[in-house]
């Protein structure tokens, strides 16, 4: 009844990034729980769920969910569902009744299945990509900077603007070129 992992062949950059961040959250949460660090485990889950998953991943894949590319849309949906399923499993010891109800709705599991009986997530180390994490740190920092500049200049959030990014760092050029579709969609730039 748990949701299967999305097809690794068709994963886009944002999908690979969130799976990397998810596996890091699994690793940190399990390590904290092993030390009875309930507060730190809860903090890790909060930061991953609200920061990486809700604030960034959902926003980054939103255009795919409403786009015309059915394959991309399907991979985004699978990744969203897989990570949300994992989040519910990770959160279950902290909020059992809420996560049980949401899990049943998400998976359409029968009345004879329980989230509490599902295996707790384990780390898939091969999905952790520190370089990709750094790339997305640059992307997210660039989006935040553009948004702050837009706000300071009084530009409406819905208005598309032209942005010129300048750097002498070839690696930054590579990263921003590879992630420009996300930059254009989330920062509303041409």
């Amino acid at each position: 009844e748990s949701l299967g992992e999305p097809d690794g062949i068709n994963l886009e950059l944002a999908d690979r990034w969130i799976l990397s961040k998810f596996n890091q959250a699994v690793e940190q949460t399990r390590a904290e729980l092993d030390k009875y660090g309930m507060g730190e485990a809860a903090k890790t889950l909060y930061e991953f769920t609200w920061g990486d998953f809700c604030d960034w991943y959902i926003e980054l894949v939103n255009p795919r969910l409403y786009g015309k590319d059915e394959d991309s849309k399907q991979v985004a949906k699978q990744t969203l569902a897989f990570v949300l399923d994992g989040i519910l499993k990770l959160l279950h010891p902290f909020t059992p009744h809420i996560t049980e109800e949401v899990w049943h709705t998400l998976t359409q599991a029968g009345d004879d299945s329980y989230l509490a009986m599902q295996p707790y997530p384990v780390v898939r180390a091969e999905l952790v990509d520190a370089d990709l994490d750094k790339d997305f740190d640059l992307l997210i920092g660039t989006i935040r900077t553009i948004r702050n500049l837009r706000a300071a200049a009084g530009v409406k959030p819905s208005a598309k603007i032209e942005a010129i990014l300048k750097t002498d760092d070839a690696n930054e050029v590579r990263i921003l070129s590879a992630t420009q579709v996300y930059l254009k969609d989330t920062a509303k730039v041409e």
Side-chain angles (χ1 to χ4, degrees), residues 56-147:
W56 289 106
Y57 182 68
I58 291 175
E59 186 174 3
L60 292 171
V61 299
N62 196 38
R64 290 167 56 196
L65 296 174
Y66 296 99
K68 296 186 190 308
D69 184 339
E70 290 301 320
D71 291 336
S72 180
K73 185 185 299 189
Q74 188 61 31
V75 171
K77 286 180 180 180
Q78 287 176 318
T79 306
L80 279 164
F82 174 79
V83 175
L84 182 55
D85 180 66
I87 288 169
L88 293 171
K89 289 174 182 174
L90 291 169
L91 285 174
H92 192 65
F94 301 92
T95 57
H97 302 291
I98 294 168
T99 52
E100 189 76 49
E101 185 69 27
V102 174
W103 182 79
H104 273 272
T105 301
L106 178 68
T107 63
Q108 298 295 300
D111 291 338
D112 58 340
S113 296
Y114 300 97
L115 176 57
M117 301 303 291
Q118 301 301 310
Y120 204 67
V122 294
V123 178
R124 296 267 316 272
E126 71 275 13
L127 296 177
V128 175
D129 187 337
D131 291 333
L132 187 59
D133 292 346
K134 288 179 188 171
D135 293 355
F136 269 75
D137 286 346
L138 175 65
L139 171 65
I140 289 167
T142 304
I143 292 168
R144 281 190 176 130
T145 299
I146 291 171
R147 286 179 173 172

